Amino acid sequence: MAEKQLGVLKALDVAKTQLYHFTAIVIAGMGFFTDAYDLFCVSLVTKLLGRIYYFNPTSAKPGSLPPHVAAAVNGVALCGTLSGQLFFGWLGDKLGRKKVYGLTLLVAKNIKQATADMSKVLHTDLEVEERAEDFVKDPRQNYGLFSKEFLRRHGLHLLGTTSTWFLLDIAFYSQNLFQKDIFSAIGWIPKPATMNATHEVFRIARAQTLIALCSTVPGYWFTVAFIDIIGRFAIQPMGFFMMTVFMFAIAFPYNHWTKPENRIGFVVMYALTFFFANFGPNATTFIVPAEIFPARLWSTCHGISAAAGKAGAIIGAFGFLYAAQSQDKAKVDAGYPPGIGVKNSLIVLGVLNFIGMLFTFLVPEPKGKSLEELSGEAEVSHDEKLLYIL
């Protein structure tokens, strides 16, 4: 531990929950809200696009997007998201975030301004301490992203956050973007030829809403309730493991679930994969990168981790669409690429979830630690203490 922690940092660590925190939650939450809406409504839009632009009046079947077009529509938004996360992650550290997080000025080297800002936010009087400027300007903490010191302290951590987010999003986005195809494959949604475009989109949206209300949203609230009790490290591998279990439970007896009398059981098992995604890595993978890296590199490291996730989502959007194609000869002859089928695709996703569980062991447990302890900015060895005093 550093021989002295700044009062402004102590005040931040022990501050009680107040209006400012709820304002920050709402602002951050709206970002996730719009992001999720933009990315996941595309699966419904593709249905309408197929009906409008690929409708053949001489065919008994309604129009649908060819696989390469559907993959492009789903993937282009993810490509834009990936590039934005890298750029704005870097820009956040370059220009700074809101000036309330101590050492990030966490970058500005202005402890007086930090103290003034924190006093305003926390509604309390804070005094600038002696030697505070020396603390902030400590050269031992000025290592960069591509330095040996960062690699020594946080190299494995960054590998852990990027790999787990990458592997999660392959599975999570595959499931979300192509729920409609899975529901159709098991017969939970009627054949498109029996419905008009509006009715088909309504039935798909209703099925997705049911999954969200019964599994996705409750999974998040379980994380909210338990994340500071059992910790991030316990939740993430548990979620990965349970996703693996339920995907295998769906995939191996896949023909059993396609029978009409077993569809409800399939929906329950399928919903549980989403529950443990959100009571698991889909929540923790974006929490942990914001906690364990040095303050001046928070945005950059979080952006890199998030971009790795979107790279996984792109692979899921393109790969799962082609892999899940039927092996039916008639479809192949009609121009559709051969695939391994939904069953084997789900097995592959289950294996990826298991690998994600293993990579979780590269990430430290942030529960109960201050941001300075997690980032290593409070680490001072005996020799470093002596040098600091001298």
Side-chain angles (χ1 to χ4, degrees):
M1 294 292 294
E3 74 178 271
K4 185 177 183 181
Q5 184 185 31
L6 293 180
V8 66
L9 299 181
K10 290 181 180 179
L12 181 60
D13 288 338
V14 302
K16 294 182 179 179
T17 303
Q18 52 189 274
L19 179 60
Y20 168 78
H21 294 94
F22 290 107
T23 302
I25 289 171
V26 171
I27 293 172
M30 289 307 297
F32 283 111
F33 176 89
T34 54
D35 171 71
Y37 176 82
D38 287 344
L39 294 177
F40 293 131
C41 74
V42 175
S43 62
L44 295 176
V45 172
T46 55
K47 277 292 184 182
L48 293 175
L49 291 176
R51 293 266 190 162
I52 295 171
Y53 294 105
Y54 291 87
F55 175 73
N56 184 354
T58 63
S59 174
K61 296 182 179 180
S64 61
L65 290 181
H68 66 283
V69 177
V73 172
N74 285 299
V76 68
L78 296 170
C79 292
T81 304
L82 185 153
S83 58
Q85 286 166 332
L86 289 174
F87 175 71
F88 287 103
W90 167 81
L91 196 66
D93 286 325
K94 190 71 174 179
L95 301 182
R97 281 80 70 199
K98 280 292 184 179
K99 298 180 178 180
V100 296
Y101 293 115
L103 284 181
T104 299
L105 295 177
L106 306 224
V107 176
K109 301 286 194 300
N110 190 340
I111 193 64
K112 293 181 179 180
Q113 185 62 51
T115 303
D117 291 336
M118 287 302 301
S119 297
K120 185 183 300 184
V121 169
L122 299 178
H123 303 290
T124 186
D125 292 328
L126 297 173
E127 296 181 359
V128 180
E129 303 169 58
E130 295 181 5
R131 299 182 62 192
E133 293 287 346
D134 296 333
F135 185 93
V136 175
K137 293 180 180 178
D138 185 355
R140 294 165 300 161
Q141 307 298 343
N142 286 337
Y143 56 86
L145 179 66
F146 300 104
S147 66
K148 291 182 178 179
E149 186 65 14
F150 178 88
L151 182 64
R152 181 184 72 83
R153 295 193 184 202
H154 301 291
L156 289 178
H157 299 165
L158 187 59
L159 175 61
T161 58
T162 53
S163 60
T164 52
W165 209 334
F166 173 80
L167 293 166
L168 166 72
D169 276 8
I170 294 178
F172 188 75
Y173 276 81
S174 295
Q175 286 182 276
N176 271 290
L177 292 174
F178 303 109
Q179 281 188 64
K180 64 183 188 304
D181 302 301
I182 294 174
F183 294 153
S184 299
I186 66 164
W188 194 32
I189 296 176
K191 293 182 178 180
T194 64
M195 303 176 286
N196 61 36
T198 304
H199 190 206
E200 182 183 13
V201 170
F202 170 76
R203 291 296 295 267
I204 295 172
R206 187 175 67 175
Q208 291 180 334
T209 301
L210 180 63
I211 293 290
L213 292 178
C214 295
S215 61
T216 307
V217 175
Y220 270 132
W221 282 111
F222 266 70
T223 297
V224 170
F226 292 104
I227 192 165
D228 285 325
I229 298 175
I230 64 176
R232 291 76 160 149
F233 187 79
I235 289 177
Q236 184 161 306
M238 178 271 296
F240 269 127
F241 177 76
M242 296 306 293
M243 289 173 69
T244 303
V245 168
F246 286 110
M247 281 193 179
F248 285 167
I250 291 172
F252 287 114
Y254 183 74
N255 293 333
H256 167 80
W257 298 118
T258 59
K259 297 177 181 178
E261 64 271 19
N262 298 324
R263 289 171 185 167
I264 298 299
F266 174 89
V267 172
V268 172
M269 300 286 281
Y270 189 65
L272 285 170
T273 65
F274 283 98
F275 175 84
F276 283 105
N278 286 348
F279 184 35
N282 196 43
T284 56
T285 50
F286 67 77
I287 293 174
V288 172
E291 296 181 321
I292 65 175
F293 296 108
R296 65 194 171 281
L297 298 174
W298 270 337
S299 287
T300 301
C301 292
H302 198 284
I304 292 172
S305 301
K310 288 302 177 288
I314 292 170
I315 292 176
F318 286 88
F320 185 82
L321 180 67
Y322 286 100
Q325 292 297 315
S326 172
Q327 296 170 297
D328 182 76
K329 185 177 184 301
K331 284 195 172 183
V332 175
D333 293 340
Y336 286 82
I340 60 176
V342 174
K343 173 181 177 177
N344 291 330
S345 297
L346 290 173
I347 293 175
V348 171
L349 295 183
V351 171
L352 293 177
N353 286 326
F354 183 79
I355 297 173
M357 180 189 70
L358 299 180
F359 272 101
T360 297
F361 291 93
L362 297 177
V363 181
E365 172 57 78
K367 181 174 74 78
K369 297 180 180 178
S370 71
L371 297 178
E372 302 83 64
E373 292 174 311
L374 289 169
S375 66
E377 291 181 331
E379 284 185 10
V380 181
S381 68
H382 176 75
D383 292 339
E384 287 174 326
K385 285 183 180 179
L386 180 60
L387 179 63
Y388 185 70
I389 293 173
L390 295 174

